Amino acid sequence: MSKKHHKWAIVDPTPSDLAEKMSSKESVLGCPNNSSVTHEESVLEHYFQLLSQSNFDKAKELVDNEKDGHKFSTAASWGETLQCLSQLATAERSYCNLVFLGQKRFTQIVRSKDSAKSIYSMLLQEFQRMETFLLPHGDRERSSSAETDKLLAHISGQLSFFVRGRLKMIEFFEQLSSLGSLKQWMNFEDLVMILEEIVKDHMKGFHHPLVVSLKTVFCLECESLCHMLNAQIKISSWNFLQATMELYQAHAKLNEWGSKIPIKEVALHIPQVKSTFGRSSSKSSPYPPIYTWMYKLKGHLLSKFGIYFYGVLGKQTIPIELKANLSKAPEDIFNRIQAFHKKSDASNIYLILDTQNLQCPVGDGGYHHPQKYVEERVGLASYQPIFSFPGERSIYQPHWPNIIMLVDHSRDQIDKIYFFMEKRPQSSYFISQIEPKIFLVVIFEGKKNEKDSGINTFMLDLSSQLRCQTIMSSLKNFARS
């Protein structure tokens, strides 16, 4: 037992022990039967707690054992509820394992009835039906079975909102996965609006104390993803403070979500999720694939943040320490650029920011007080190098007019390399547009082949990585049956 003022203590019994306790009407939460807590409430609370911990097999085993002993009961509604909860545990495991993204076409035809979307759709109909028909009326309103039916009807109504939210999230992840392969700009603003609508429309619908643990995890999943997509927007528009805050919020939400998984389930060789820049491996991870991918997305955004704000971060430390910190990032983009520079003998590699029509003042990067006047950049000055290798944001002035002219000519050519060769001085320019406001420019002194596979592959891969196409398309690779 816990402290005297607590109602009960959670001890997590095994399903076999649980079945024995059920026969004597003893609470599944490890305390003697309390008249204020019914047997059904105890089972439901423990079941939803197991789901929130991603312990789907144990949750299913719990309700299946209770269902096997239910034949001695006269409450038919309790048996129907247990059957639905067993299916819900199966659907939740499939959802968190991203099975709906990894299914092949033949598998979808043969086992369409077993897919997460099909199970959720069936459960939605069942929960709506039970919410309507289990409400007591007439002479039954004062009976004990009527009180149970009233509880189950209320829980069914709550779960119908949860299932609707899950179906919307399946569609959302399918959209994220498909965006990685499309040759067009990803509209992250629209993605954020869709995600916020899902939270707004479904979160208020399930608030019963018995399902609060499930609601918490659903909320953490949606909010952490929303913060990361907002971080991508702020990084791409070079808004240092807002990008930092969004990444911090995403980090905090993910850590809170990860803490819901019992410590005993976490392998010791897996890096702690509290490490901001620590590398994490999906191999042998105790976390469900959906969490593992989202944690990788956060690491990807941190790596991108380090490159886009390289000049800002460089003012807060010495170059050696900055490079060492960036090398610890989940994606070592700086080292990749450095290796390409050495191998290809490039003169300069730049990330160029088009500051025109940006909502926040640019200045020299970093934080700017809203009331501090920042002179608007015009002409050549409206294009700003936010990263340069070698050297921190250095520009060889004879190249700059050519760079600006070529950047304007290369707009809206996603997954294409714009090439130009200047005869005096003889220089070769390769330009790729990463995002609407960000351009990758590689300069060589002398003549270079426009179709050089090493240069083109590096630029296309890096551009795809920085615009988050690579991480989005990798979603299906995390699917685990």
Side-chain angles (χ1 to χ4, degrees):
M1 293 290 291
S2 59
K3 296 180 180 179
K4 293 182 179 180
H5 63 277
H6 287 174
K7 200 171 186 179
W8 49 59
I10 298 176
V11 297
D12 192 21
T14 63
S16 59
D17 294 337
L18 201 54
E20 295 178 3
K21 293 183 179 183
M22 288 172 183
S23 62
S24 62
K25 296 293 184 178
E26 186 176 337
S27 171
V28 298
L29 299 180
C31 68
N33 185 42
N34 191 315
S35 59
S36 63
V37 181
T38 66
H39 172 68
E40 290 80 8
E41 287 177 319
S42 299
V43 174
L44 290 172
E45 183 169 22
H46 191 61
Y47 168 80
F48 291 123
Q49 186 69 31
L50 290 172
L51 281 191
S52 69
Q53 296 172 347
S54 300
N55 206 337
F56 312 113
D57 293 336
K58 197 168 184 179
K60 180 176 173 59
E61 190 176 0
L62 168 65
V63 293
D64 284 346
N65 282 332
E66 167 73 2
K67 184 176 60 175
D68 291 341
H70 171 258
K71 57 185 178 181
F72 302 106
S73 175
T74 58
S77 59
W78 181 230
E80 293 181 22
T81 302
L82 292 172
Q83 179 63 33
C84 289
L85 294 181
S86 179
Q87 290 294 313
L88 179 61
T90 300
E92 282 292 282
R93 177 177 56 196
S94 180
Y95 171 81
C96 290
N97 287 345
L98 298 173
V99 176
F100 56 91
L101 293 176
Q103 289 174 325
K104 296 181 180 179
R105 184 175 301 175
F106 178 76
T107 306
Q108 288 179 326
I109 296 174
V110 176
R111 302 184 60 189
S112 60
K113 293 182 179 179
D114 298 329
S115 67
K117 188 178 292 186
S118 298
I119 298 176
Y120 280 127
S121 298
M122 179 273 294
L123 287 173
L124 179 59
Q125 295 178 4
E126 284 299 303
F127 286 136
Q128 290 174 334
R129 180 186 65 80
M130 289 193 293
E131 180 186 15
T132 302
F133 291 102
L134 291 182
L135 287 175
H137 36 272
D139 296 335
R140 296 181 60 249
E141 291 201 5
R142 295 185 180 180
S143 65
S144 59
S145 61
E147 288 299 320
T148 299
D149 287 351
K150 186 176 180 180
L151 169 67
L152 297 181
H154 191 48
I155 295 296
S156 296
Q158 303 269 298
L159 290 178
S160 65
F161 281 95
F162 172 73
V163 170
R164 286 194 197 97
R166 278 291 192 243
L167 287 169
K168 289 291 185 181
M169 288 303 296
I170 287 177
E171 295 176 358
F172 186 80
F173 277 109
E174 287 175 337
Q175 183 178 2
L176 285 183
S177 179
S178 64
L179 285 174
S181 58
L182 297 178
K183 293 186 177 181
Q184 63 185 40
W185 306 117
M186 286 187 282
N187 193 324
F188 288 96
E189 289 83 359
D190 285 351
L191 293 175
V192 170
M193 289 178 61
I194 293 172
L195 197 53
E196 288 177 344
E197 282 296 318
I198 292 175
V199 175
K200 179 181 177 181
D201 292 343
H202 301 93
M203 282 306 300
K204 293 181 180 180
F206 57 107
H207 48 73
H208 194 280
L210 292 179
V211 299
V212 67
S213 57
L214 196 60
K215 175 182 178 180
T216 299
V217 170
F218 182 89
C219 185
L220 289 173
E221 174 192 332
C222 294
E223 288 183 350
S224 58
L225 184 55
C226 193
H227 282 302
M228 285 187 282
L229 295 178
N230 270 319
Q232 156 63 18
I233 296 172
K234 301 306 179 183
I235 293 172
S236 300
S237 59
W238 220 50
N239 190 328
F240 179 81
L241 179 62
Q242 293 298 321
T244 304
M245 296 302 296
E246 294 291 350
L247 285 172
Y248 175 79
Q249 290 294 333
H251 178 72
K253 297 292 183 182
L254 281 174
N255 278 343
E256 186 178 352
W257 181 9
S259 69
K260 300 298 179 182
I261 299 176
I263 299 297
K264 63 182 179 181
E265 301 291 339
V266 181
L268 295 177
H269 65 279
I270 300 297
Q272 294 293 324
V273 296
K274 292 184 179 181
S275 175
T276 304
F277 280 99
R279 297 177 186 270
S280 62
S281 173
S282 60
K283 296 181 179 180
S284 303
S285 173
Y287 302 104
I290 191 171
Y291 178 88
T292 305
W293 177 82
M294 289 175 65
Y295 194 74
K296 185 174 182 180
L297 173 60
K298 189 209 72 172
H300 179 90
L301 292 172
L302 283 171
S303 304
K304 178 176 178 176
F305 178 89
I307 293 298
Y308 274 38
F309 295 101
Y310 185 85
V312 179
L313 299 173
K315 297 177 181 179
Q316 304 174 29
T317 183
I318 59 177
I320 295 178
E321 290 185 358
L322 178 58
K323 293 176 183 178
N325 286 329
L326 291 178
S327 68
K328 297 176 184 177
E331 303 287 341
D332 192 356
I333 301 175
F334 182 88
N335 185 61
R336 184 179 179 183
I337 294 174
Q338 187 178 37
F340 169 77
H341 175 266
K342 182 178 181 180
K343 181 179 180 180
S344 65
D345 197 28
S347 172
N348 288 89
I349 301 171
Y350 300 113
L351 289 181
I352 306 296
L353 170 71
D354 177 6
T355 65
Q356 300 177 81
N357 301 319
L358 284 181
Q359 294 181 353
C360 59
V362 175
D364 294 325
Y367 172 71
H368 293 270
H369 191 279
Q371 296 181 358
K372 181 179 179 181
Y373 173 75
V374 178
E375 185 176 354
E376 184 178 357
R377 295 171 177 265
V378 295
L380 296 180
S382 62
Y383 292 87
Q384 184 170 342
I386 59 176
F387 175 84
S388 173
F389 188 89
E392 285 72 20
R393 301 176 63 183
S394 60
I395 284 290
Y396 181 51
Q397 291 304 321
H399 286 307
W400 196 235
N402 288 340
I403 291 175
I404 303 308
M405 177 189 69
L406 297 173
V407 162
D408 282 333
H409 280 86
S410 64
R411 287 185 183 277
D412 301 324
Q413 297 186 34
I414 189 171
D415 280 344
K416 291 184 179 180
I417 304 296
Y418 188 84
F419 172 80
F420 180 79
M421 192 182 72
E422 177 69 34
K423 294 182 179 180
R424 296 181 182 179
Q426 193 174 61
S427 302
S428 299
Y429 302 87
F430 293 81
I431 300 179
S432 171
Q433 188 172 8
I434 299 175
E435 293 172 303
K437 292 290 184 179
I438 306 290
F439 298 82
L440 172 64
V441 179
V442 179
I443 303 175
F444 293 89
E445 298 296 343
K447 184 178 180 180
K448 278 287 181 179
N449 185 356
E450 178 181 357
K451 298 182 179 180
D452 189 302
S453 60
I455 300 173
N456 282 268
T457 300
F458 164 79
M459 295 188 68
L460 290 176
D461 287 350
L462 184 60
S463 298
S464 178
Q465 182 182 23
L466 290 175
R467 73 170 67 102
C468 293
Q469 279 184 303
T470 304
I471 186 67
M472 295 301 174
S473 61
S474 73
L475 245 174
K476 62 186 67 175
N477 298 330
F478 282 77
R480 184 175 67 197
S481 60

